[in-house]
Amino acid sequence: MKQTTSDTFQDGTEMNLSDHKNKKIKQFIEVNSVTELVSACLLWLTCLAPGLLIAEESKLYSLKNGQTVAPLEQFQECEQCPEMIVMPLGSFMMGATQEESRDPFDFYGENATKTRRAPDDIHIIPHEHPRHEVEIDIPFAMGRNEVTHAEWMRCVNAERCTHNPEHRILRLGGYVLLGPDHPVINVSFEDAQEYLSWLNSLVGDDVYRLPTEAEWEYSAKAGAQTRYAQGNDITAEQANFSGDATETTLGVRPPGLADRDMSVRVEELDAANSWGLRHMSGNVQEITQSCWSETHLGLASDSEYLSIQPDTNNCWRVLKGGSYAKGVDGLRPAVRGKTPPGWRSDSR
């Protein structure tokens, strides 16, 4: 899971988060030139936290424990907390370009023909549009890696997580047991809330939550304008995905494809994007805080996306990142999936 912490200062000074620990909000509030926000964090995947303060001029963030970090710097707030990387502020184009998807099947949207497209057809998947600019106006950090099974089990052993997830994958020869450094699987959005609550209890503030869909996509693209953060193509050495599903999508089998048919350990493969976040494409799918919508909402800022998220668990949540079972087209950062809040799966 990936977390963040942040508050903005206009005068270049630093301030310890403990001075604001009782101020919990879901959008920006200007108080004495300090922008305060609630933290957020994404589970096997990414997360965000508002326990972090940022000096606007120096671009330094002060954690509650007194540690100071800068954009793209890695930190770990407590012994049992995940490793985090501070994301830079900026803006990006959220959603897919018209020519981005190479999926040959017209399966999506009200007017889908449910057939294979012609080779020269432009394929627009409606729920990946409209493409629009989003300003990232909330300072945050993301987890460097997916949350591992070992990290999750610390919460179970502390009796703060009630769900002990099955940690094996069924393959043709039977079940394959996974190790402690594989990403945790078979956990739901609802399960994630217990894990986040436990992390927040360790640091003494509400600084961990799941990221919004906008925060996740911005972090996954890492400033890239291409189909993937790594370029317009991605290899089996950079991401864990299905070679067979990729062959079906592309109509040919490029050299070097792999069919691992299971997740890999979080430190395996050359899976980092240019901001240091690993496995944002492939391996296991990642749940966001955002509720599903049939098309993008077209909001202008991260704070707007955060402000509309409900406190209840009654909506389907947006999935991002693809998995080992998906073809290469499903690994694009612009791809969107959805899940009921209580659903568990061995691909996330």
Side-chain angles (χ1 to χ4, degrees), residues 1 76 80-83 145-156 161 180 184 195 198-199 266:
M1 119 181 322
Q76 186 174 9
Q80 294 178 306
C81 293
E83 295 178 331
N145 281 312
E146 301 148 317
V147 172
T148 67
H149 187 255
E151 289 172 325
W152 184 276
M153 290 307 297
R154 292 170 189 161
C155 180
V156 173
C161 287
V184 65
Y195 183 80
W198 174 65
L199 287 180
V266 297

Side-chain angles (χ1 to χ4, degrees), residues 100 102 225-234 328 332:
E100 182 174 305
R102 292 176 285 183
Q225 303 293 321
T226 46
R227 186 177 281 122
Y228 309 95
Q230 293 83 353
N232 279 320
D233 291 293
I234 195 167
V328 70
R332 296 176 292 111

Side-chain angles (χ1 to χ4, degrees), residues 95-98 123-131 294-296:
T97 60
Q98 290 188 0
H123 190 27
I124 297 177
I125 299 176
H127 58 249
E128 297 177 3
H129 295 265
R131 182 172 162 88
E294 292 301 324
T295 61
H296 278 307

Side-chain angles (χ1 to χ4, degrees), residues 12 19 22 35 38 45 49 119 129 131 133 137 169 172 211 217 252 254-255 279 309 321 325:
D19 296 333
N22 295 320
T35 303
V38 182
L45 337 333
H129 295 265
R131 182 172 162 88
E133 185 173 12
D137 54 358
I169 291 179
L172 289 178
E217 189 170 327
V252 296
H279 293 291
Q309 301 311 313

Side-chain angles (χ1 to χ4, degrees), residues 94-96 100 108 125-132 212-214 216-217 221 285-286 288-298 305 308-309 316-322 326 329-339:
M94 185 174 180
E100 182 174 305
Y108 307 99
I125 299 176
H127 58 249
E128 297 177 3
H129 295 265
R131 182 172 162 88
H132 61 290
T212 65
E213 179 183 5
W216 190 98
E217 189 170 327
K221 289 182 174 179
Q285 288 184 300
E286 305 181 357
T288 73
Q289 180 170 310
S290 295
C291 290
W292 173 259
S293 57
E294 292 301 324
T295 61
H296 278 307
L297 300 178
Y305 275 101
I308 64 171
Q309 301 311 313
W316 286 43
R317 304 288 167 160
V318 175
L319 291 173
K320 300 291 284 184
K326 299 286 187 180
D329 199 66
L331 273 61
R332 296 176 292 111
V335 168
R336 306 172 72 224
K338 60 183 177 179
T339 182

